[in-house]
Amino acid sequence: MKVSLLEKTEDTIILHIQDVNPGFLNALRRIILSETPVMAIHEVVILENQSPLFDETIAHRLSLVPLRTNLDRYTLPEECECKGVGCNLCQVGFTLEVEAPEEGYVATTGDLKPQDPDIVPVSEDIPIAKLAKGQRIVIEAFAKLGIGREHAKWQPVSSVSYKMVPSVKVDSAKCDGCEECVKVCFKQVFEMEGGKAVVAREMDCSLCNLCTKECVGQAITIDYDKTSFIFVLESTGAMPPVTIFEKGLDVFRKRLELLIAQFPGRRSKSKRKTQE
């Protein structure tokens, strides 16, 4: 497998992955979604709630707030020495105590006070509840590591997808300059140059083939490589996208090792054949 970085931002990476098959990439995608741990609020204690929202609504909103996560400092509750009871190695506490100083005051994630200053919401501007003047909310909350297979709040990505690398070609001899391919392509893959259509953004092609259907002269051909893919990962902000990708690969490797360990006899038999 060959991996090259095409684009990187604070929350997104776009990779070119070669010499793999769709089954491998789909397994990696699903592991990133459902098996990569991330921190999320799991337990909420409502001590006082004078807002117009039900206690359950506030708790649900808090649980979906993405939290900055450090996997080197915290462990999954089931793997912790406390056996899931809750300690400073697997759990982080938060408090929220707000009294609206004016009408229409909005309590936000910036009002959450964490026990660990490194485990904070990815944004301070996520609204929790709108309050009338004098209304109060007092809450204690506890966050822990979890995986998306248990609940969507533990998914570290807002999206993760892949597509085959497109190959788009225009035969200038057949192109009559009708511009239909430019008009129909919502990805703006084509541009007009010298009265002819040319490929300007090949990697953006979604392989929808609308351009080939509209091209009367059949000047456009679209193909793809079945072993070469564009892999796009967008983080929620909880962890850097590169960290999520590396952790997904690590979990994938451990799953494969666990699977291989289930067939010790078969493994030793194939080893003997190789030696012979």
Side-chain angles (χ1 to χ4, degrees):
M1 181 175 70
K2 299 177 183 178
V3 181
S4 57
L5 181 65
L6 297 180
E7 185 179 328
K8 179 182 177 182
T9 64
E10 183 179 357
D11 294 324
T12 304
I13 54 171
I14 301 177
L15 305 173
H16 182 199
I17 303 179
Q18 299 171 274
D19 300 331
V20 294
N21 58 57
F24 173 86
L25 276 190
N26 192 47
L28 177 59
R29 181 187 69 84
R30 291 174 66 89
I31 283 174
I32 289 174
L33 279 170
S34 61
E35 299 288 341
T36 305
V38 72
M39 194 74 75
I41 290 176
H42 179 63
E43 184 178 347
V44 178
V45 181
I46 308 289
L47 300 176
E48 187 174 355
N49 178 21
Q50 297 178 353
S51 77
L53 298 180
F54 293 114
D55 292 356
E56 294 84 358
T57 302
I58 293 177
H60 185 259
R61 287 188 175 187
L62 289 173
S63 71
L64 295 177
V65 172
L67 302 176
R68 302 284 184 192
T69 301
N70 187 337
L71 296 178
D72 294 329
R73 292 180 51 189
Y74 293 92
T75 184
L76 288 166
E78 56 268 25
E79 298 175 0
C80 186
E81 296 177 357
C82 70
K83 304 300 181 183
V85 175
C87 67
N88 58 4
L89 297 178
C90 64
Q91 182 174 279
V92 180
F94 292 84
T95 58
L96 173 66
E97 185 173 354
V98 176
E99 182 173 339
E102 57 187 14
E103 193 73 24
Y105 178 83
V106 178
T108 68
T109 48
D111 297 313
L112 277 171
K113 308 302 179 186
Q115 291 179 344
D116 185 343
D118 292 332
I119 308 298
V120 296
V122 299
S123 171
E124 296 184 350
D125 301 321
I126 302 173
I128 297 173
K130 188 174 183 179
L131 307 174
K133 184 176 180 179
Q135 287 185 338
R136 282 170 48 83
I137 297 179
V138 182
I139 293 171
E140 288 184 2
F142 301 92
K144 69 173 186 176
L145 283 179
I147 56 177
R149 180 157 50 88
E150 298 177 30
H151 195 283
K153 66 185 178 183
W154 282 305
Q155 288 183 354
V157 293
S158 54
S159 80
V160 54
S161 61
Y162 63 90
K163 70 173 184 178
M164 294 178 180
V165 173
S167 173
V168 184
K169 291 180 171 50
V170 178
D171 188 340
S172 59
K174 294 182 179 180
C175 179
D176 60 4
C178 67
E179 299 188 32
E180 289 302 319
C181 58
V182 177
K183 295 175 184 177
V184 77
C185 182
F186 62 93
K187 290 289 188 177
Q188 299 180 338
V189 173
F190 303 96
E191 289 182 357
M192 296 303 295
E193 188 176 294
K196 301 285 187 177
V198 295
V199 180
R201 286 168 284 275
E202 186 176 43
M203 285 295 185
D204 291 342
C205 177
S206 63
L207 302 173
C208 68
N209 280 298
L210 285 175
C211 56
T212 59
K213 295 176 183 177
E214 293 295 326
C215 184
V216 179
Q218 297 182 343
I220 300 172
T221 57
I222 294 180
D223 201 358
Y224 54 86
D225 185 346
K226 295 181 180 179
T227 63
S228 183
F229 301 86
I230 303 297
F231 191 88
V232 182
L233 187 153
E234 182 180 349
S235 168
T236 60
M239 292 184 290
V242 173
T243 302
I244 296 172
F245 183 74
E246 291 174 345
K247 184 61 179 178
L249 287 174
D250 185 52
V251 174
F252 198 176
R253 178 183 57 80
K254 290 178 180 177
R255 289 284 183 269
L256 290 175
E257 290 177 350
L258 183 62
L259 178 63
I260 292 171
Q262 303 302 312
F263 305 97
R266 183 180 294 272
R267 190 178 183 186
S268 60
K269 184 178 179 180
S270 64
K271 191 173 181 180
R272 285 197 302 270
K273 285 184 178 180
T274 304
Q275 290 174 348
E276 292 172 359

